[in-house]
Amino acid sequence: MTGLMLACLSILPTMAQWGRPVDYSAGPGLKDAYKDYFTIGVAVNKHNISDPAQIAIIKKQFNSVTAENAWKPGEIHPKEGVWNFGLADSIANFCRENGIKMRGHCLCWHSQFADWMFTDKKGKPVKKEVFYERLRDHIHTVVNRYKDVVYAWDVVNEAMADDGRPFEFVDGKMVPASPYRQSRHFKLCGDEFIAKAFEFAREADPTGVLIYNDYSCVDNGKRERIYNMVKKMKEAGVPIDGIGMQGHYNIYFPEEEQLEKAINRFKEIVNTIHITELDLRTNTESGGQLMFSRGEAKPQAPYIGTLQEDQYARLFKIFRKHKDVIKNVTFWNLSDKDSWLGVNNHPLPFDENFKAKRSLQIIRDFDPVADKRVPKEDFVPNPMNQPGQEYPMVNSEGFARFRVVAPDAKSVIVSLGLGGRGGTVLRKDKDGVWTGTTEGPMDPGFHYYHLTIDGGVFNDPGTHNYFGSCRWESGIEIPAPDQDFYAWRKDIPHGNIQQVNFWSESTGKMQTANVYLPNGYGKLVKGKNGKLEQTRYPVLYLQHGWGENETSWPVQGKAGIIMDNLIADGKIKPFIVVMAYGLTNDFKFGTIGKFTAEEFEKLLIDELMPVIDKQFLTKPDKWNRALAGLSMGGMETKLITLRRPEVFGYWGLLSGGQYAPDEIKDPKVVKYIFEGCGDKENPDGINKSVADLKAAGYNAEGLISEGTAHEFLTWRRCLYQMAQSLFK
Ligand code: XIL
């Protein structure tokens, strides 16, 4: 169902939970959700620890804190003998007071560094021994001041070279690129500065976890450079305890395999990995360099949000899988407002107003069972596919698999997926084709869906189209345990569905209805007095929902097949079903509260019914006439039957609200009331209403459809059940 449809239906009491703003932070904090996995951290600035609202977020969600800038050598120790402990102490004290442990970031880095360490008072370069003395003093001072609250130190940050530079210029000459970043540190000391920094840190803090931290660890070259360096250092006895993978990624990158490759590689040499600086840019940049400019906040397109949620979900699934070695995951900044990447990158689970995004919920509410779930490989083409089309496919458990050819697209999203997610994000396979499988089994029955390719909406060329959200959409059918009742059977006689076009004066247009005529309709049979005559039939007027039309019940609703099966099995006496367009798609968004169904009442009773009674063999009276509808068609049914009880003798609401006894007032005006919905909708409301109606003397029946929501399997089941009690 589309968002608009949900929003439109939100005034129905059965669906009051829909269409309201959702508080994605409701529920446990991330730190609690991940207590059996790893600690969850955040990098903070001075505002984050001064504003009560932001403090509340930190305390609820995180159990690890990194100072974003305040502890960096260039900030805390900008000149020889000059120490800026102010903000650094505030952050440490905030953590001490709140019992939060810290990651110490960082002791030695080429950027934001205490560059004075490289020169003497006259500006001349110092010898490496002088540099080491200064670095040792720096590291000892910082570590001793804060080690009571710190559990891990980023001792050396970003010492390795980036990918993509096989050669480089050193002193004017082109030489094969060094695995090391050509920092002042490296130029002065070679890689010995790395060993020294770790040794100084270990002297000052014998128990803290000492980390080598870097970005783009998932790049093949950089991964190997980091691996080789750490391996070499460890073999030489340098106290490196773990590797920090910064994790400045984006919504398209990295692939899970690439991330796992890095984790598995590092696992060979360390038993601690921290994801130290996680954020997901919404462009294609990544890594520790920043190219994107900040600027005024622009809203994030919904499909970009979906890609980001999906990417967070994928990454955390991998992190959880490797919880044996991953001990911490830290977000780099609290909210999009704070992000070093700029607010327009929207990279974090909290937005620029510190409101939780759906990403937060998706990261938090993971399902450990789903983490291990692998679909059964018995996929077959979906029965709704166009002839010869293999995809989409469905397996016996209800997983759906998609394949879309769009070679130059940047993203392909299928709107279908498990609850709470924006759909299933496809990935380009090795042949350049977009493929993907739903995360789990879908609800049984029929689902509308579409593709979002780079933000544009398209149908899946694999399937037939179904009128479902004011337009023709793709559809898929997931096998249901009880699917025989709507299966086409070759062993029984079939009725047919006829299209009727008629002029509607009230709408000034031709209107259309589809009419189901049972098998044998129009045949001459011997009547009571032995004369040959034609049988006349009762009529059910059966309405579709918002966004749908007169084709929805006959096609995706399978109304005709359901009728044929009921008649053939002797469960009902034949009757006619009229499925007309119910004018549900023309009202303006946001006005459903004022929806009266008066236009449709006119069309139905004054224009359509006379045509039906004239053209077909009907029994044209109230006790042979029923009105029922699904969703918004249920609203129409309720409004019209209450206003015109003299016209219809049987009433049905299918996920379309309920009647209350005092709305009807007289049990004699209606012979039978049906109310139904899926168990994922509002079963309590239906059960209560049916009980109240019965207690007040009405012949009422309810149906709660098992394992379904606001979708067509619910309504197929409702029709099957309701039909058996009509016209008795
Ligand atoms: C960033 C900060 O977030 C910015 O405020 C600052 O201007 C530059 O540094 N890798 C790191 C972090 O290890 O320290 C960097 O933090 C982001 C990249």
Side-chain angles (χ1 to χ4, degrees):
M1 169 157 13
T2 65
L4 181 60
M5 189 167 177
L6 287 170
C8 290
L9 291 167
S10 64
I11 64 121
L12 283 179
T14 52
M15 292 140 207
Q17 72 275 25
W18 289 341
R20 299 220 182 112
V22 185
D23 176 8
Y24 293 115
S25 71
L30 288 177
K31 65 174 172 27
D32 305 309
Y34 279 88
K35 67 177 187 334
D36 297 331
Y37 292 82
F38 31 74
T39 56
I40 304 279
V42 61
V44 299
N45 60 33
K46 69 166 182 260
H47 307 292
N48 302 147
I49 56 155
S50 321
D51 169 38
Q54 297 176 46
I55 291 173
I57 296 176
I58 297 173
K59 284 164 66 174
K60 173 169 179 184
Q61 305 290 346
F62 303 103
N63 49 7
S64 173
V65 156
T66 307
E68 182 189 8
N69 287 303
W71 289 18
K72 290 173 180 170
E75 304 288 324
I76 201 169
H77 197 182
K79 284 189 191 134
E80 185 161 24
V82 177
W83 287 92
N84 289 333
F85 289 126
L87 177 57
D89 281 0
S90 309
I91 295 175
N93 289 335
F94 169 84
C95 291
R96 288 179 180 121
E97 280 155 26
N98 291 292
I100 303 174
K101 289 285 176 204
M102 294 187 68
R103 303 191 72 267
H105 178 82
C106 52
L107 298 175
C108 181
W109 187 23
H110 68 277
S111 176
Q112 291 175 288
F113 189 63
D115 281 343
W116 60 265
M117 289 190 199
F118 294 115
T119 49
D120 65 15
K121 289 213 169 63
K122 293 187 191 120
K124 288 234 178 71
V126 297
K127 289 221 177 70
K128 73 176 183 182
E129 288 71 24
V130 176
F131 170 71
Y132 288 150
E133 212 172 289
R134 291 169 167 183
L135 184 65
R136 182 174 185 275
D137 169 63
H138 171 83
I139 290 178
H140 273 253
T141 306
V142 174
V143 171
N144 281 319
R145 193 173 182 94
Y146 300 121
K147 68 180 173 193
D148 65 296
V149 71
V150 170
Y151 69 98
W153 297 97
D154 289 334
V155 178
V156 175
N157 199 24
E158 303 180 357
M160 306 314 292
D162 291 335
D163 273 17
R165 296 168 37 291
F167 297 97
E168 64 193 0
F169 283 96
V170 175
D171 301 329
K173 270 187 268 157
M174 195 163 83
V175 294
S178 156
Y180 294 96
R181 179 185 296 280
Q182 296 305 300
S183 61
R184 288 176 87 169
H185 309 58
F186 183 79
K187 284 182 179 155
L188 179 63
C189 317
D191 65 6
E192 191 190 49
F193 85 91
I194 301 175
K196 289 283 179 199
F198 276 94
E199 280 156 21
F200 301 153
R202 179 53 82 229
E203 285 166 15
D205 185 352
T207 57
V209 178
L210 305 186
I211 299 274
Y212 172 75
N213 190 45
D214 213 330
Y215 62 86
S216 299
C217 299
V218 295
D219 290 355
N220 290 329
K222 194 148 181 189
R223 180 193 67 228
E224 290 306 303
R225 284 191 284 281
I226 293 168
Y227 172 89
N228 291 334
M229 181 277 285
V230 173
K231 187 161 186 274
K232 172 181 146 185
M233 293 281 164
K234 282 182 71 86
E235 281 166 3
V238 177
I240 302 183
D241 298 321
I243 295 176
M245 299 174 62
Q246 289 189 4
H248 296 294
Y249 301 137
N250 66 49
I251 57 178
Y252 310 100
F253 160 95
E255 295 292 335
E256 291 117 302
E257 305 80 66
Q258 201 62 15
L259 174 62
E260 266 202 289
K261 235 190 210 173
I263 296 170
N264 284 328
R265 189 69 164 143
F266 294 161
K267 246 186 209 181
E268 294 173 22
I269 46 169
V270 292
N271 55 24
T272 299
I273 292 175
H274 288 185
I275 308 298
T276 54
E277 306 182 17
L278 184 63
D279 47 22
L280 297 184
R281 292 160 160 100
T282 52
N283 57 27
T284 51
E285 290 177 9
S286 66
Q289 247 83 77
L290 176 60
M291 290 155 267
F292 189 83
S293 61
R294 289 188 71 94
E296 285 297 294
K298 287 191 210 88
Q300 177 176 335
Y303 86 97
I304 295 284
T306 301
L307 294 177
Q308 191 173 47
E309 289 154 16
D310 181 71
Q311 180 73 334
Y312 268 126
R314 286 174 193 252
L315 298 185
F316 271 86
K317 192 169 165 184
I318 303 285
F319 298 157
R320 290 192 294 274
K321 182 172 166 193
H322 295 277
K323 68 169 184 172
D324 58 323
V325 63
I326 294 181
K327 309 285 166 65
N328 167 265
V329 177
T330 290
F331 290 92
W332 201 251
N333 300 114
L334 182 58
S335 79
D336 289 346
K337 182 177 186 173
D338 305 298
S339 173
W340 72 299
L341 300 168
V343 61
N344 285 318
N345 247 315
H346 305 280
L348 292 159
F350 284 90
D351 73 11
E352 61 270 27
N353 300 310
F354 299 95
K355 269 186 56 193
K357 302 187 203 170
R358 190 157 64 178
S359 289
L360 183 86
Q361 185 194 51
I362 284 169
I363 295 167
R364 181 193 61 213
D365 297 345
F366 64 90
D367 173 2
V369 178
D371 276 359
K372 302 220 169 86
R373 199 157 46 195
V374 210
K376 216 169 162 187
E377 284 304 324
D378 58 357
F379 287 87
V380 294
N382 165 44
M384 301 304 220
N385 286 0
Q386 300 200 40
Q389 296 293 325
E390 222 187 333
Y391 285 86
M393 288 196 171
V394 179
N395 80 352
S396 58
E397 303 161 302
F399 284 74
R401 180 169 285 169
F402 305 90
R403 182 177 192 275
V404 177
V405 180
D408 291 331
K410 260 171 78 188
S411 66
V412 179
I413 304 169
V414 177
S415 62
L416 215 62
L418 290 192
R421 298 278 291 275
T424 301
V425 173
L426 307 190
R427 287 288 165 110
K428 236 187 215 181
D429 68 13
K430 55 182 185 334
D431 305 319
V433 176
W434 295 87
T435 53
T437 305
T438 53
E439 235 199 327
M442 306 296 302
D443 286 354
F446 174 84
H447 308 281
Y448 297 107
Y449 76 96
H450 57 256
L451 310 175
T452 301
I453 302 183
D454 294 347
V457 173
F458 304 92
N459 283 1
D460 185 338
T463 76
H464 284 286
N465 292 173
Y466 304 86
F467 202 82
S469 53
C470 297
R471 64 177 201 84
W472 299 93
E473 280 223 301
S474 301
I476 197 167
E477 186 73 38
I478 306 294
D482 54 345
Q483 60 194 5
D484 286 352
F485 83 86
Y486 55 86
W488 195 90
R489 282 155 53 182
K490 66 169 191 266
D491 61 313
I492 60 163
H494 291 274
N496 66 70
I497 294 176
Q498 199 167 305
Q499 194 181 71
V500 174
N501 297 311
F502 61 101
W503 175 254
S504 153
E505 196 57 42
S506 68
T507 57
K509 273 194 228 180
M510 195 199 80
Q511 296 286 352
T512 306
N514 286 311
V515 180
Y516 168 81
L517 300 173
N519 181 273
Y521 173 88
K523 261 200 195 148
L524 288 168
V525 287
K526 244 188 212 137
K528 277 191 199 111
N529 50 13
K531 271 210 312 198
L532 284 178
E533 56 187 35
Q534 288 175 308
T535 310
R536 291 191 160 266
Y537 300 92
V539 183
L540 162 64
Y541 289 84
L542 185 60
Q543 290 312 124
H544 57 81
W546 175 87
E548 297 174 331
N549 70 7
E550 70 282 358
T551 64
S552 305
W553 263 116
V555 182
Q556 49 270 43
K558 301 199 183 259
I561 302 177
I562 293 172
M563 288 296 292
D564 286 347
N565 291 346
L566 281 166
I567 295 167
D569 292 342
K571 292 202 154 90
I572 62 169
K573 286 221 194 81
F575 58 83
I576 294 172
V577 184
V578 176
M579 298 159 280
Y581 174 51
L583 306 180
T584 50
N585 302 337
D586 296 325
F587 77 98
K588 282 208 192 66
F589 185 66
T591 61
I592 196 165
K594 297 188 199 103
F595 180 71
T596 62
E598 269 159 17
E599 281 112 342
F600 180 59
E601 179 181 329
K602 207 173 282 161
L603 183 138
L604 174 68
I605 297 178
D606 302 341
E607 298 172 345
L608 173 62
M609 271 172 37
V611 170
I612 297 296
D613 286 335
K614 195 168 153 208
Q615 287 190 21
F616 296 96
L617 296 161
T618 64
K619 291 183 175 170
D621 64 86
K622 162 172 172 161
W623 300 117
N624 285 293
R625 210 181 279 126
L627 179 58
L630 72 88
S631 194
M632 203 172 161
M635 293 174 70
E636 294 182 323
T637 298
K638 181 174 170 179
L639 291 162
I640 295 171
T641 50
L642 289 177
R643 277 198 300 262
R644 305 290 298 273
E646 76 284 5
V647 184
F648 302 97
Y650 303 79
W651 308 349
L653 308 182
L654 290 58
S655 307
Q658 302 109 35
Y659 292 100
D662 55 347
E663 290 173 314
I664 313 174
K665 293 185 190 82
D666 179 4
K668 285 195 290 298
V669 302
V670 52
K671 266 205 185 150
Y672 168 76
I673 294 175
F674 174 88
E675 293 179 358
C677 74
D679 61 5
K680 300 186 178 185
E681 298 189 81
N682 178 19
D684 296 348
I686 296 292
N687 289 334
K688 181 178 183 307
S689 158
V690 170
D692 290 351
L693 287 166
K694 280 185 178 161
Y698 292 87
N699 174 23
E701 183 184 22
L703 175 78
I704 306 303
S705 158
E706 207 183 304
T708 65
H710 200 71
E711 291 187 291
F712 250 111
L713 182 53
T714 302
W715 307 319
R716 289 175 188 164
R717 287 173 174 168
C718 285
L719 172 61
Y720 185 76
Q721 182 75 26
M722 175 181 72
Q724 299 182 46
S725 297
L726 296 179
F727 314 120
K728 285 209 166 137

